[in-house]
Amino acid sequence: MKIAILGTGMVGKAHASRLTELGHQVVMGTQNVEAKKVEQTPDNSGQTFNDWHQQNPDVELITLMEAAQIGELIINALSGQVSVEALKKLEAQIGEKILIDIANPLDFSQGMPPTLTVCNTDSLGEQIQAALPKAKVVKTCNTTNADVQVKPQELAEGDHHIFMSGNDEEAKNKVTDLLQSYGWQNIIDLGDITTARGTEMFLPLWIRLFGKYGHSKFNIKVVK
């Protein structure tokens, strides 16, 4: 499958590497291709994009618009604060495709811990769906770190849970297949896109757990 990842940060790179490993044709979209190729700013893991790209040469770096046009399935790995505005500009290219939203509405402008730019009565997932009414938006993977998102078996042998929200059942079935190819055994479909409010509002607790344990390799297990 041709999969387009919008955004070149640590999370986007994790998905790009994993999807390529699984045999998909992956492109990454960025605002300025040439600037990104020579960027020297490392991500949170200490790796620059150029270093990562040399290790993943099969991933083509193109513009956001080109990526949205090419991708049969699209993953939003842009910053939560810019996602709605950036995606709205790509509405024609995205059309009725499945858009997996893995972003979170985090505001770091006042330092740590971040606050949520939207919560309680709305969510980033809902705002994206409203901005792209024809797209099939599925919210998932936003409740754990990048490494766990794409390789759940590396934590507790995969015995933990991932969540999903979206209005289109067929789209959620296809996203379920993709998550299972990553190794996810336990996927909870919370319901329509409004349920993304719950997973996005988990982030303040996630941040505190990260501060408590000093690392981000943890996740939720639901026991009933």
Side-chain angles (χ1 to χ4, degrees):
M1 184 187 298
K2 294 179 181 178
I3 299 179
I5 298 175
L6 307 181
T8 56
M10 186 169 64
V11 178
K13 288 186 290 188
H15 282 266
S17 297
R18 183 71 166 124
L19 289 166
T20 302
E21 182 181 290
L22 291 170
H24 296 283
Q25 180 182 341
V26 181
V27 297
M28 295 189 82
T30 188
Q31 191 71 32
N32 187 320
V33 174
E34 294 308 314
K36 178 56 64 174
K37 286 180 178 177
V38 298
E39 185 181 78
Q40 295 301 310
T41 304
D43 62 21
N44 290 338
S45 69
Q47 185 182 48
T48 66
F49 182 83
N50 184 53
D51 289 341
W52 175 86
H53 202 207
Q54 288 183 26
Q55 297 170 16
N56 297 269
D58 291 335
V59 178
E60 185 180 4
L61 181 66
I62 55 181
T63 68
L64 291 169
M65 187 168 291
E66 289 170 332
Q69 182 69 48
I70 291 172
E72 299 172 76
L73 179 146
I74 299 168
I75 297 177
N76 174 41
L78 296 165
S79 163
Q81 287 188 288
V82 305
S83 287
V84 175
E85 181 180 359
L87 292 172
K88 184 63 178 176
K89 294 177 181 177
L90 306 174
E91 184 176 7
Q93 289 74 31
I94 295 172
E96 298 181 4
K97 297 173 185 176
I98 296 173
L99 175 65
I100 301 176
D101 175 34
I102 60 178
N104 278 304
L106 297 175
D107 180 1
F108 290 92
S109 63
Q110 303 301 313
M112 289 288 288
T115 56
L116 298 175
T117 60
V118 56
C119 61
N120 295 321
T121 58
D122 201 359
S123 66
L124 178 60
E126 289 172 83
Q127 290 182 348
I128 292 172
Q129 183 65 85
L132 305 172
K134 293 183 179 180
K136 300 174 180 68
V137 179
V138 179
K139 186 85 183 193
T140 191
C141 288
N142 64 308
T143 52
T144 189
N145 82 345
D147 292 337
V148 176
Q149 287 175 30
V150 300
K151 293 187 176 180
Q153 300 292 331
E154 293 188 0
L155 174 65
E157 298 181 348
D159 188 18
H160 45 99
H161 289 77
I162 197 77
F163 306 96
M164 181 167 52
S165 304
N167 297 336
D168 189 283
E169 295 302 320
E170 184 178 351
K172 288 192 287 188
N173 287 338
K174 290 182 179 179
V175 174
T176 295
D177 290 342
L178 185 66
L179 292 173
Q180 288 175 337
S181 74
Y182 280 172
W184 284 101
Q185 304 168 19
N186 306 307
I187 303 166
I188 299 178
D189 182 352
L190 294 173
D192 67 24
I193 196 62
T194 65
T195 62
R197 300 174 192 180
T199 58
E200 290 180 13
M201 286 193 288
F202 169 69
L203 265 292
L205 175 57
W206 189 96
I207 292 290
R208 270 73 177 178
L209 289 169
F210 174 75
K212 170 69 175 179
Y213 296 114
H215 66 84
S216 60
K217 202 166 186 179
F218 56 84
N219 194 27
I220 304 168
K221 177 180 178 180
V222 178
V223 180
K224 60 179 182 178

